[in-house]
Structures are given as C-alpha cells and as structure tokens.
Amino acid sequence: MKEKILEKAMDMYLKLGFKSVTMDDIAQEMGISKKTIYQHYANKTDLVTEVATLLVNKISCDIDTIYAEKHNAIKELFEIRRYLKTTLDDQYMAPVHQLNKYYPEVALSVKSSQFDKMHESVKDNLNRGIEEGLYRPDIDPEFISRIYFNGITGIKDSAVFPDELYTRTQTTKMYLEYHVRAIGTLKGTEMLEEYLKES
C-alpha cells in the first residue's frame, strides 16, 4: 500500500503541484481513508520528500541507461537532453517551483542529491570528451562539472529566465550549445553543429 500511495502522490503532484494536492485529495483519488495514508507517512512533508527522492532516483536510473549506450561525449549530452525534454517538459516546471517555494528544505535536499549523482557522471563525460578529442585537454573537469551543474539547474529559475521570454526547450538547447562551445575542440564544435541541426 505504501508504494501505491507513493506512486499516486507522485502522479498527482507532477500534474497538479505539490502545494495544490492535499492528503485528502490523494485518499479520495485512491478510494482509501486519509488515516491509511498516515499509517505510512507521518505528514505531507514526509510524503513530498519520498516523492521527490523517488523522482530523482528514477531519472538517475534512466540516465544511467543512456550512459550505458556508450555514445560519444557530445552525443551523450544531447541524448540526455532529449530524454529530459520528453520526460520532464514544461508542464512539470510548476510543481518544481512549488517545491522550491513551499518545501525549501526538501528542495535543497533534492538539489544536493542531484549534485551527488550528476557530478561524477559529468566529470566522466568531460574526461571521455578529452580522450575523444572533442573537448580541449586543458579544461579542469572538476571545475567544469560544478559550473555545468550550476548552470543547468540555474536556467530553471523563472525569475532569471521568465517563461514569457524562454521556453524550457530553448534554454536547455542554448545552454548545451554554450557549454560545448566553451570547452570544445574544432572537432567537437563541428560535431555540436550537426547535433544542433538535428535537435
């Protein structure tokens, strides 16, 4: 039952927002009593935390599948972007904003978890890109990985990138181009331009 509650809550939170959906709403949707939910989750914050953690873990596992496909470093970035665009498109940004606004401690924990999972993967991408001759050999993968994470999470900030000026699809594509042009070799930027035409 706990897993069913978690799955239903995730579905409703993503569609309607973390703030908008109450424990009563989840219970009614599932045809169970609110008491049943509280047998498994002490309060809504606990449920929101588990949903956010589950979502991060699911995305991480899906991205690991892309890593396992052994694309070249630049193609890998575009494949991850394509996956995220189809899985977490603009309709999911409102719940993320609500998470940041109404559950800041949960959002901070999620961001920390995202960084832990992403940091080593991005460093691996950078090192492979250097080996493949796509990224410059003089870059610092440790530093660039941190900059990349800060940028890719920062472009989701609607105060800086308002929805009326940029769609999520535009910002991710522009940021990916910015990232690769900053570190790419001539071979890498030529490959980038081909992938940009396809995306």
Side-chain angles (χ1 to χ4, degrees), residues 36-48:
T36 301
I37 297 178
Y38 284 121
Q39 288 174 349
H40 300 283
Y41 298 98
N43 51 53
K44 184 178 176 181
T45 300
D46 282 353
L47 182 54
V48 167

Side-chain angles (χ1 to χ4, degrees), residues 54-65:
L54 177 65
L55 188 59
V56 169
N57 289 339
K58 180 186 181 307
I59 292 168
S60 296
C61 287
D62 289 345
I63 289 176
D64 284 344
T65 301

